Amino acid sequence: MNLSKLNPWERGALSSSGHELHYQSPNKKYDVYLKYEGDIRMGPCYFSMIIGGSRLRNRFFGGEIYWSDDSGLFAAQEWLTTDEKSGPNTNLILFNPLKKTQAVIDHCLGGFTSALRFYPESITFHRIVDGARQIKNVAYSEIQEWSQIV
C-alpha cells in the first residue's frame, strides 16, 4: 500500500518513512502516529497506533484521527477484528492524551463507527451498518468508563 497516494482528507501528514501517518494535535503538544500494518482483501487498511512514543500493543485502528479544537481529546476507530469473514466490528474510542485515558463511546457490530465533530460538551459520530447510516451524539458527561491507555 502506497500511503502517499491517499489524499489529505484520508490521512494525516505522511512520515518520512512512508509507512506512518502523523496526526499532531492542534496545539502541537501531542503526536499520534498510525503505522501501516495491512489491509483487508479488497477493503480498507488497518494500522497500529503510537501515542507520545508508546505503541498500543495488539490493537488495530482505521486510518483517521480526529482532534478536538482544544487538543484535549482525540477519537479513533478501533478494529476488533481483521478477519474479513468475522467483521467489520469496530469501536469508537475517545482518548485524553493529558490524562492518558481512553473510553469506548460506541460499539458497532457488523459495521463501522467514526467521529464527525467535536463540540464543547459533546461529540457527534456516525455508524454505518449494511449501508444504513446513523448519526449520534454523546455528551462527555455521560462517558463513565474511562480507563488507562494500555
Side-chain angles (χ1 to χ4, degrees), residues 87-108:
N89 296 316
T90 60
N91 283 340
L92 183 59
I93 309 287
L94 202 56
F95 292 90
N96 182 321
L98 178 63
K99 294 181 179 178
K100 298 183 179 176
T101 57
Q102 64 185 356
V104 175
I105 60 171
D106 189 42
H107 175 71
C108 188

Side-chain angles (χ1 to χ4, degrees), residues 37-52:
E37 296 291 341
D39 53 79
I40 304 301
R41 185 175 57 89
M42 302 196 47
C45 301
Y46 56 91
F47 302 81
S48 58
M49 183 183 290
I50 301 163
I51 303 172

